[in-house]
Amino acid sequence: MVSPKIQKDICHCFAQEILKSILTEIGDDVFAILVDESSNVSKKEQMVVVLRFVDGTCGLIKERFVGLVHVKETSSLTLKLAIDSLLTELGLSLKKIRGQGYDGASNMRGEKDAQKRQANGLQIYFTSFDFVFYLHLMLHIFGLTESLTKALQRKDQDILNVISLVKSTKRQLQKFRLDGWVPLLEKIFSFCDKYGIEKLNMTNPFINPKNRRQKTGITYEHYYSFDCFNVVVDMQLAEFDDHFNEVNSELLSCMAALDPRDLFGAFDSLQLVRLVDFYPDDFSSSEKISIERELEIYIDNVGEDERFAHLNGIGDLARVMVQKKKHLSYPLLCQLLKLALVLPVATATVERCFSTMKLVKSDLRNRIGDEYLSYCLISAIEKEALAKVTNDDIIDRFQKMKTRREQL
């Protein structure tokens, strides 16, 4: 029983029992995938996969960790193949995926060189005008995006609030792009005066630090305002356009019509009928016609029901619909709720998985293999499911794995 191979087999049994319970919760329903990648303590690229779904037995949205996969590189094709392989192993169909959330890749190649460069010039750079400029620019952008970031990292995202924050944050970034240069520069100069940092004469010719003999033909004012300030802010605005384009924004706006707060004040049957068009595979032609009548009866019914008077978001609505058996009367509306809830807005859960991975695979335990690490993480992360696994379940699965010389 103390043999490493036997311990690995037992850990595998626990992981399989946990996955079995997760797959039972999903059933044949739709789900979304949340994916992120990072390198572990051994500098190996690892991809975490989390499934987001609505548990039909209780109406609760759940995010479950189902595996960690080693990937040789972080290209989109490699990640796709790894995801396909894992879902096939779990017996899940790609046709059931209704949302995908990918966090930014964090490639660790060249880390040692970067650390050496940082160590050699860090102290000098910290007292330079260039550092002060980027520090203030970063702080201002982080300040503008902080509220949206916090909203996106909550597990119970409020879609209506997220839409509002996206629009407000983008407007503030655009305003900063147009009017923010002069106030930012004044703050930077004030900071330099306070801490004795040498200021640049912005009208002097810009000198390229990589080739000081080369004439650039521009001033420091031009370099920092156009080549740095504008470029950085434009990159942030481009990120917003990529993640929250016109189609995505319309999708979220339609979903907001499901919000039950203020006595279903956001309810809009036209928006919800439009929402059906975004999911052609989930509604038949006859259901698209029937849903208009169902929505009329639904809003009249729940609007008069005191049990639905103080709900806080569509997550609460789905839970109470199941508790009060209303999901049986309004199956099409509940399907819309389910599709709205599985849509991933953020990947906070996968970040917590990486935090756990650092505890399981530490400097002292850096030789854990990929497969064994994945088994350990499933048990470490899915504690609720782990608590429901019985010894009899493990013994039975352990004995069925292969012929053993001894019986547990």
Side-chain angles (χ1 to χ4, degrees):
M1 291 299 104
V2 296
S3 163
K5 290 184 178 180
I6 297 298
Q7 290 182 355
K8 183 178 178 180
D9 283 350
I10 293 175
C11 190
H12 174 263
C13 291
F14 275 101
Q16 291 300 316
E17 286 297 320
I18 292 171
L19 289 174
K20 178 183 174 182
S21 68
I22 293 173
L23 295 174
T24 300
E25 289 178 335
I26 299 174
D28 193 37
D29 224 328
V30 296
F31 61 91
I33 57 172
L34 303 172
V35 177
D36 195 8
E37 64 80 25
S38 181
S39 61
N40 61 28
V41 70
S42 303
K43 306 305 178 187
K44 296 174 67 175
E45 295 289 348
Q46 307 279 5
M47 180 180 70
V48 160
V49 181
V50 172
L51 301 185
R52 180 180 172 93
F53 58 94
V54 177
D55 188 337
T57 62
C58 57
L60 294 177
I61 185 69
K62 295 184 177 181
E63 291 181 353
R64 299 296 199 198
F65 171 74
V66 293
L68 179 139
V69 182
H70 170 62
V71 289
K72 294 182 179 179
E73 57 170 332
T74 57
S75 66
S76 57
L77 178 60
T78 300
L79 296 180
K80 180 183 181 301
L81 291 174
I83 293 169
D84 291 351
S85 177
L86 178 61
L87 292 182
T88 300
E89 182 182 330
L90 294 173
L92 294 171
S93 172
L94 293 172
K95 294 181 180 179
K96 293 295 183 178
I97 296 177
R98 293 297 180 272
Q100 304 173 54
Y102 298 91
D103 210 348
S106 54
N107 197 325
M108 302 298 289
R109 295 183 182 88
E111 182 181 282
K112 291 184 179 179
D113 293 337
Q115 289 176 344
K116 289 180 181 179
R117 290 195 299 271
Q118 288 174 356
N120 292 333
L122 208 53
Q123 186 174 3
I124 297 173
Y125 184 66
F126 276 172
T127 59
S128 69
F129 179 87
D130 195 66
F131 171 75
V132 175
F133 170 81
Y134 280 111
L135 175 67
H136 280 76
L137 180 58
M138 178 184 69
L139 286 175
H140 192 90
I141 292 176
F142 281 176
L144 292 178
T145 57
E146 182 180 14
S147 295
L148 176 61
T149 300
K150 288 181 178 179
L152 291 175
Q153 292 303 318
R154 287 197 294 269
K155 290 186 70 174
D156 54 341
Q157 297 98 346
D158 174 2
I159 292 177
L160 197 59
N161 187 41
V162 168
I163 296 170
S164 175
L165 284 172
V166 166
K167 293 178 179 178
S168 296
T169 305
K170 187 174 181 180
R171 284 196 298 267
Q172 289 302 310
L173 282 172
Q174 290 170 332
K175 182 180 179 181
F176 182 54
R177 170 71 162 76
L178 294 174
D179 307 321
W181 167 248
V182 173
L184 178 69
L185 193 60
E186 290 175 352
K187 285 185 179 181
I188 293 170
F189 280 170
S190 176
F191 184 90
C192 290
D193 289 336
K194 183 177 180 179
Y195 293 99
I197 296 173
E198 184 179 357
K199 295 184 293 187
L200 294 176
N201 186 332
M202 304 305 283
T203 61
N204 285 348
F206 169 68
I207 299 175
N208 187 345
K210 295 181 179 179
N211 188 353
R212 304 184 69 86
R213 295 182 179 181
Q214 179 185 14
K215 292 185 177 181
T216 60
I218 60 174
T219 63
Y220 279 105
E221 171 92 24
H222 184 281
Y223 171 73
Y224 280 106
S225 63
F226 288 93
D227 296 350
C228 301
F229 176 82
N230 286 354
V231 169
V232 170
V233 179
D234 286 343
M235 287 172 60
Q236 297 300 313
L237 291 169
E239 283 286 315
F240 270 81
D241 290 335
D242 288 342
H243 291 288
F244 300 99
N245 56 37
E246 186 175 344
V247 174
N248 290 341
S249 297
E250 185 184 3
L251 174 63
L252 292 174
S253 296
C254 291
M255 288 180 174
L258 291 164
D259 199 317
R261 282 172 291 193
D262 300 324
L263 300 176
F264 296 87
F267 179 82
D268 186 330
S269 59
L270 294 178
Q271 287 281 74
L272 294 178
V273 171
R274 170 66 180 133
L275 181 58
V276 172
D277 294 333
F278 283 96
Y279 295 96
D281 295 332
D282 292 282
F283 298 92
S284 65
S285 300
S286 60
E287 287 174 334
K288 291 179 181 179
I289 298 173
S290 301
I291 196 169
E292 293 187 47
R293 306 287 79 80
E294 183 177 302
L295 289 172
E296 292 175 1
I297 300 172
Y298 155 79
I299 195 61
D300 180 78
N301 184 247
V302 298
E304 298 295 325
D305 193 330
E306 282 295 322
R307 298 174 297 181
F308 291 81
H310 304 289
L311 299 181
N312 184 27
I314 61 176
D316 270 2
L317 176 60
R319 175 179 55 80
V320 177
M321 289 285 285
V322 173
Q323 285 180 353
K324 308 306 179 185
K325 308 297 183 183
K326 294 283 187 181
H327 65 297
L328 301 176
S329 302
Y330 308 106
L332 301 179
L333 181 281
C334 286
Q335 181 69 0
L336 283 179
L337 268 177
K338 193 177 298 179
L339 292 168
L341 286 169
V342 300
L343 188 70
V345 182
T347 55
T349 300
V350 291
E351 297 295 345
R352 289 189 283 272
C353 294
F354 281 126
S355 297
T356 305
M357 181 176 73
K358 292 177 182 178
L359 298 176
V360 175
K361 187 169 185 176
S362 63
D363 289 325
L364 297 177
R365 293 192 298 268
N366 62 2
R367 297 182 65 183
I368 296 178
D370 300 326
E371 191 177 45
Y372 192 18
L373 177 60
S374 183
Y375 299 156
C376 292
L377 283 176
I378 290 173
S379 296
I381 294 169
E382 297 299 333
K383 293 184 175 65
E384 182 182 342
L386 175 65
K388 297 177 182 178
V389 178
T390 67
N391 287 339
D392 289 339
D393 294 331
I394 300 303
I395 292 172
D396 184 57
R397 184 178 288 273
F398 179 79
Q399 299 296 170
K400 289 180 179 179
M401 287 180 69
K402 57 186 176 182
T403 303
R404 309 278 182 181
R405 285 188 290 176
E406 302 232 359
Q407 298 290 313
L408 284 179

